[in-house]
Amino acid sequence: MASSSRLPILRRISILLKAPPSTTLRSSLPSLARRFFLRKALAPNVSPWIYASSSRFCSGPLNLHQGSQGPAAIDYRSVLSEDEYHRLANSTIQDLQEKLEEYGDIVELEGFDVDYGNEVLTLKLGTLGTYVMNKQTPNRQIWLSSPISGPSRFDWDHNAQAWVYRRTKANLLKLLESELEQLCSKPVNLS
Amino acid sequence: MLRLVAKRLLGTASGDIPSRPLQILPRLYHENVIDHYNNPRNVGSFDKNDPNVGTGLVGAPACGDVMKLQIKIDEESGKIVDACFKTFGCGSAIASSSVATEWVKGKSMDEVLTIKNTEIAKHLSLPPVKLHCSMLAEDAIKAAVKDAEAKRAKTNATLKGADVKSG
């Protein structure tokens, strides 16, 4: 274990993820877990977080079907193509950005700020809280963090032509509309 | 924090020369998160084939987070006597799963299902962008309990079958 820890963590992850396609997560996980869990054995000067970039390590959505104990595993590649996903997600987020900026002009709220950078939309409502919305491309989802409802993950519902959070059946735009009205006391139309 | 870092990186990549010296980024991790990172509790692994062990595996490397949370159930009382975790991800993800293993010990399986991601996030003062880590920890707990219950049901069914045969 001491010798394997010399190899940079990120390279070890990519080596393991390049395992032959027949290797399921189940069989590769014990070694994956053995090598990659973070513990205090890391050198003190290592930065306190390691962010795994999906473009570097991901060979595709993991095949979690076998023995998966977690929430339902779906192969998102078959649900929505990446191009189509980007088109839909970008258009939703950019549209929201414009509407939120207009809303900011109507609502006179101290500390109101809409910022869009690196495909992350951040809406600050002063002391009322902050919303963060970003794309989660591997899962074809839009992730939202709300000061009222916490984290949610929206999938594109083709029938409803809307972003829907499966667990609560919430619609992204409707959720934002109702929460913003609750927080800022002024209605908003985001559709 | 990611945005700040990304902006800085992009700034240097496109050759922009900052008009003022580089600023030192303010500390953005709550001390509870740093404590869990430096002194993680319950890191480890149980034998997943043990009938009294429930394993919850959530997340995906593509998203940058994988959490494996295991619970050991006492056969008689049905309570969780031990828990351990292994997490691949950011400091907040590690801290969230570490907190989860601390909180499930000594509780019954029904009780731990009431642990909410909001409580974990509040305990660690997670910023908005990291709330998803706490939700993943909540999912890991639920998955581990689901696995443990499935195993117990299977064991009970086998025992009943044996009783019928011998009776």
Side-chain angles (χ1 to χ4, degrees), chain B residues 49-127:
Chain B
N49 295 319
D50 184 332
N52 295 321
V53 167
T55 303
L57 177 64
V58 293
C63 302
D65 271 318
V66 182
M67 283 185 195
K68 185 174 79 151
L69 193 142
Q70 290 180 301
I71 50 177
K72 198 172 269 178
I73 314 285
D74 175 53
E75 268 180 56
E76 287 168 23
S77 62
K79 287 203 168 179
I80 297 170
V81 293
D82 203 3
C84 67
F85 82 100
K86 284 190 179 180
T87 292
F88 158 67
C90 67
S92 302
I94 295 165
S96 297
S97 39
S98 176
V99 164
T101 56
E102 281 197 308
W103 286 3
V104 301
K105 281 191 188 176
K107 296 201 167 89
S108 72
M109 288 196 277
D110 288 331
E111 256 185 283
V112 304
L113 288 178
T114 61
I115 293 177
K116 287 259 149 290
N117 65 75
T118 41
E119 292 160 8
I120 300 177
K122 195 168 168 195
H123 178 75
L124 297 170
S125 297
L126 294 182

Side-chain angles (χ1 to χ4, degrees), chain A residues 90-184:
Chain A
N90 288 341
S91 117
T92 302
I93 295 179
Q94 273 151 20
D95 197 47
L96 264 172
Q97 183 198 1
E98 286 167 16
K99 297 215 164 85
L100 288 170
E101 278 169 355
E102 286 168 17
Y103 186 59
D105 295 332
I106 302 170
V107 167
E108 282 145 7
L109 183 63
E110 176 125 6
F112 187 102
D113 182 52
V114 180
D115 184 49
Y116 182 62
N118 303 313
E119 301 192 324
V120 176
L121 178 66
T122 307
L123 168 64
K124 291 193 181 139
L125 298 172
T127 50
L128 298 173
T130 301
Y131 284 84
V132 178
M133 190 184 307
N134 62 288
K135 294 192 323 195
Q136 189 69 356
T137 309
N139 287 354
R140 309 287 190 261
Q141 288 174 334
I142 289 184
W143 282 16
L144 174 74
S145 170
S146 150
I148 295 185
S149 50
S152 335
R153 298 165 184 201
F154 297 86
D155 298 280
W156 178 251
D157 184 334
H158 195 76
N159 295 334
Q161 288 288 296
W163 295 93
V164 177
Y165 182 25
R166 289 208 174 107
R167 282 189 212 188
T168 59
K169 311 276 189 286
N171 172 305
L172 171 63
L173 299 179
K174 297 264 179 296
L175 179 77
L176 284 172
E177 281 174 2
S178 93
E179 289 190 359
L180 286 173
E181 182 162 358
Q182 195 185 325
L183 285 172
C184 308

Side-chain angles (χ1 to χ4, degrees), chain A residues 51-67:
Chain A
Y51 185 76
S53 154
S54 63
S55 58
R56 190 159 171 195
F57 309 116
C58 178
S59 53
L62 262 184
N63 183 7
L64 281 172
H65 293 288
Q66 281 88 332

